[in-house]
Amino acid sequence: MVNGCGGGFINLRCRTSVRSKLDYNRGMFHAPDLVHRLAGLRLAHPIYLYQQIGSTNDQARQLAEAGAPEGLLMVAEEQTAGRGRSGRVWLTPPGTALAFSLVLRPALPAALSARLTMLAGLATCEALEQAADVKAALKWPNDVLINGRKTAGILIETALSGEQLNYAVLGIGLNVSWSPAPHEVEFPATCVQAEAGREVDRLTLLRALLARLEAWYPALADEALFTAWRARLTMLNQPVELRSEAGVVAGRAVDVAPDGALIVQTDSGETRRVLAGEVHLRARSASAN
Ligand code: BTN
């Protein structure tokens, strides 16, 4: 049974015997296909599909607070109040992207919560290579780039229980057939299809991404995950700018630490350790050095 509630909500925990209007929209997710293609994945159960929602992260957080199990996947065709990092807006026009949130309950110290960012970034890069044949890289801390342009963003939100994580909501927005105009973003943006030069099936991409998340998930606290994430960072050993409310600091990104911090050697000779959320990172041309 498909529940066609307000906003086009379909609870895919139910067996599908009636197709919603959404199912017949060409290019949109077809609910039975979604169930079929994601079958067997532990981190895609239960599945919620929305035709339109404010933010999948908001909705997944509400369900996580109410005790939703690890693996709950919330997928939306369109978000009307999608959120990015640092309070930014994340645009998801209908049927053009992957916009989803996953509830996780990892046994992880709060101090290592950046590992979830590494997990999501790495899995997204690997899925893009597998399903779209494009080379993907990461801009610290959690932007996914193809040919130097942002294609996906990651929003991890956590709730703590003492020093440990109680739950995390791992949200990914991946532009597949549309990207925001230059005036809408601070960093150049692109979409998968523009870079792949061909149509890319969103469901194939979603399946690949969830499978890579699931493959890396047991290694969340391991050196191997950190090493693979680090190897994909674009700005290491390059001149960068750290922008924050306190101003702009110029330096060179020298490394990252296993907890996700960026290590920067400033032009004034200081070594700084910065955490995601504290600064915005920008490349500087070498000649500005
Ligand atoms: C960023 O680059 O600033 C992060 C963007 C994260 C967007 C995704 S789309 C699915 C999930 N729901 C949201 O409201 N945000 C995340």
Side-chain angles (χ1 to χ4, degrees):
M1 189 187 91
V2 171
N3 294 328
C5 307
F9 162 76
I10 301 170
N11 182 347
L12 296 177
R13 287 177 299 183
C14 308
R15 276 177 59 85
T16 304
S17 60
V18 178
R19 287 181 180 172
S20 69
K21 191 168 148 232
L22 167 66
D23 294 335
Y24 294 105
N25 287 345
R26 196 186 165 276
M28 295 297 216
F29 285 130
H30 185 219
D33 279 355
L34 196 60
V35 174
H36 177 68
R37 296 281 298 282
L38 302 186
L41 290 171
R42 193 180 72 81
L43 297 184
H45 185 76
I47 303 170
Y48 289 74
L49 171 64
Y50 280 81
Q51 187 168 13
Q52 186 189 72
I53 197 173
S55 153
T56 56
N57 258 46
D58 289 348
Q59 188 69 10
R61 270 170 64 185
Q62 271 187 28
L63 295 180
E65 280 295 332
E70 170 158 288
L72 182 144
L73 175 67
M74 175 98 31
V75 181
E77 288 286 16
E78 178 185 7
Q79 293 187 113
T80 54
R83 293 184 292 107
R85 289 174 55 237
S86 313
R88 293 203 191 103
V89 169
W90 183 265
L91 300 169
T92 313
T96 63
L98 292 181
F100 68 87
S101 302
L102 195 57
V103 173
L104 297 174
R105 296 187 179 276
L108 197 70
L112 284 186
S113 53
R115 290 291 177 136
L116 291 160
T117 303
M118 298 180 196
L119 170 75
L122 187 55
T124 305
C125 289
E126 291 181 349
L128 283 166
E129 287 167 4
Q130 274 180 13
D133 303 310
V134 288
K135 194 128 191 57
L138 293 167
K139 172 178 168 289
W140 182 90
N142 55 1
D143 290 342
V144 180
L145 312 181
I146 306 175
N147 294 326
R149 292 171 176 266
K150 179 165 173 172
T151 315
I154 294 157
L155 182 64
I156 308 287
E157 297 183 298
T158 55
L160 306 186
S161 177
E163 303 282 288
Q164 292 286 119
L165 290 188
N166 174 14
Y167 69 81
V169 171
L170 182 157
I172 298 182
L174 174 59
N175 296 327
V176 179
S177 58
W178 169 91
S179 58
H183 70 271
E184 289 175 307
V185 285
E186 289 176 22
F187 192 83
T190 189
C191 65
V192 181
Q193 292 194 169
E195 302 303 323
R198 64 171 172 93
E199 200 169 310
V200 175
D201 178 53
R202 285 187 304 148
L203 196 41
T204 304
L205 203 46
L206 179 61
R207 161 95 209 181
L209 211 168
L210 291 166
R212 293 318 298 151
L213 283 172
E214 198 165 300
W216 277 108
Y217 190 51
L220 202 51
D222 295 357
E223 173 85 18
L225 178 92
F226 170 66
T227 308
W229 173 75
R230 185 181 181 282
R232 288 192 181 262
L233 292 174
T234 52
M235 291 193 197
L236 291 189
N237 296 313
Q238 294 197 12
V240 295
E241 263 178 22
L242 303 177
R243 300 183 189 170
S244 68
E245 278 176 10
V248 179
V249 174
R252 179 171 286 269
V254 287
D255 208 351
V256 276
D259 66 355
L262 180 73
I263 316 293
V264 174
Q265 187 82 51
T266 70
D267 287 356
S268 56
E270 209 187 322
T271 301
R272 282 212 192 169
R273 193 181 180 282
V274 287
L275 294 170
E278 291 178 352
V279 295
H280 294 293
L281 181 67
R282 288 288 177 272
R284 257 185 328 152
S285 63
S287 57
N289 229 350

